Amino acid sequence: MLAAGAGLRCLDGLGAEEIIRFGELLHASAAEGRGVRSALNAHQSAAVTAAAERILPASDTPGATDANVTAFIDRMLADWYTPAERDRLLAGLTDLDARSRALRGRDFVALSEADQVALLTAIDDEVTALWRAPSPAAGNANDHWFSMLKFLTVWGYFTSEVAMRRTLGEYPLPGRYVSCASYDPRARSGRS
């Protein structure tokens, strides 16, 4: 469902546990700095951090910043998204600043938290209208930059160790992998 919601082609065919594990591995590689390439400049990174924290703010549970979601998003944009997908999200961040300047005369990161929430809510309402539009001519909500940002924020958050431990109360997530398990096709069909 996550893969379909984001239109991220590299995840097609993966199960939920595989998508979660992929997110965990991505967090680990970003934390270790392995092969680090960056898609976000400092200003874009600050905008992503602010937007992600408004999407998943800290409360009695950690927020997006606590889960290092910006590094996760940067790594996904640099290493996994196509150039067209990456450019769409980066163009969206440029649009976010343009809307912010039209609203309050400042870039998004310089707005008050309340103004940031109001602006993101307005953009989210536009994406919701795309979801509800009866005609494909209205546009595809999956292709909207804000849908991508929300998806990456949620995925990055819930695959982080801090969110698994303190929000979900499960780390590691239940489940196991047995690399040398024997295979008995009769067991799958219910025959003995």
Side-chain angles (χ1 to χ4, degrees):
M1 188 165 117
L2 284 173
L8 187 57
R9 307 299 179 243
C10 71
L11 299 178
D12 286 350
L14 295 180
E17 288 182 19
E18 293 166 316
I19 291 172
I20 291 168
R21 182 68 181 135
F22 179 69
E24 290 174 321
L25 292 172
L26 197 67
H27 275 287
S29 68
E32 293 171 8
R34 283 186 269 144
V36 174
R37 294 186 313 145
S38 183
L40 300 172
N41 64 33
H43 180 76
Q44 292 164 334
S45 182
V48 167
T49 298
E53 191 63 26
R54 299 305 153 252
I55 293 167
L56 285 171
S59 60
D60 58 334
T61 59
T65 304
D66 301 315
N68 203 15
V69 165
T70 301
F72 178 89
I73 292 171
D74 189 32
R75 191 60 175 263
M76 287 298 297
L77 291 174
D79 293 340
W80 292 97
Y81 273 78
T82 66
E85 291 167 328
R86 178 178 51 247
D87 291 347
R88 185 170 54 245
L89 193 138
L90 296 178
L93 294 175
T94 300
D95 179 57
L96 181 64
D97 274 338
R99 289 176 182 223
S100 175
R101 285 189 295 276
L103 179 70
R104 295 284 185 232
R106 296 187 300 274
D107 285 342
F108 180 75
V109 296
L111 293 179
S112 69
E113 184 176 322
D115 284 340
Q116 287 176 345
V117 169
L119 183 52
L120 293 177
T121 300
I123 294 168
D124 192 47
D125 290 345
E126 292 170 15
V127 173
T128 300
L130 289 175
W131 282 109
R132 293 181 178 154
S135 166
N140 185 345
N142 282 336
D143 291 335
H144 195 282
W145 71 270
F146 191 65
S147 292
M148 294 169 62
L149 180 65
K150 281 177 63 175
F151 165 78
L152 287 169
T153 299
V154 171
W155 185 24
Y157 179 79
F158 283 104
T159 56
S160 72
E161 183 176 343
V162 69
M164 283 189 209
R165 285 186 189 275
R166 294 181 43 211
T167 302
L168 300 175
E170 297 282 347
Y171 187 80
L173 285 177
R176 64 188 185 113
Y177 172 73
V178 180
S179 63
C180 295
S182 62
Y183 174 71
D184 181 358
R186 295 176 296 170
R188 288 193 83 193
S189 66
R191 294 178 284 166
S192 318

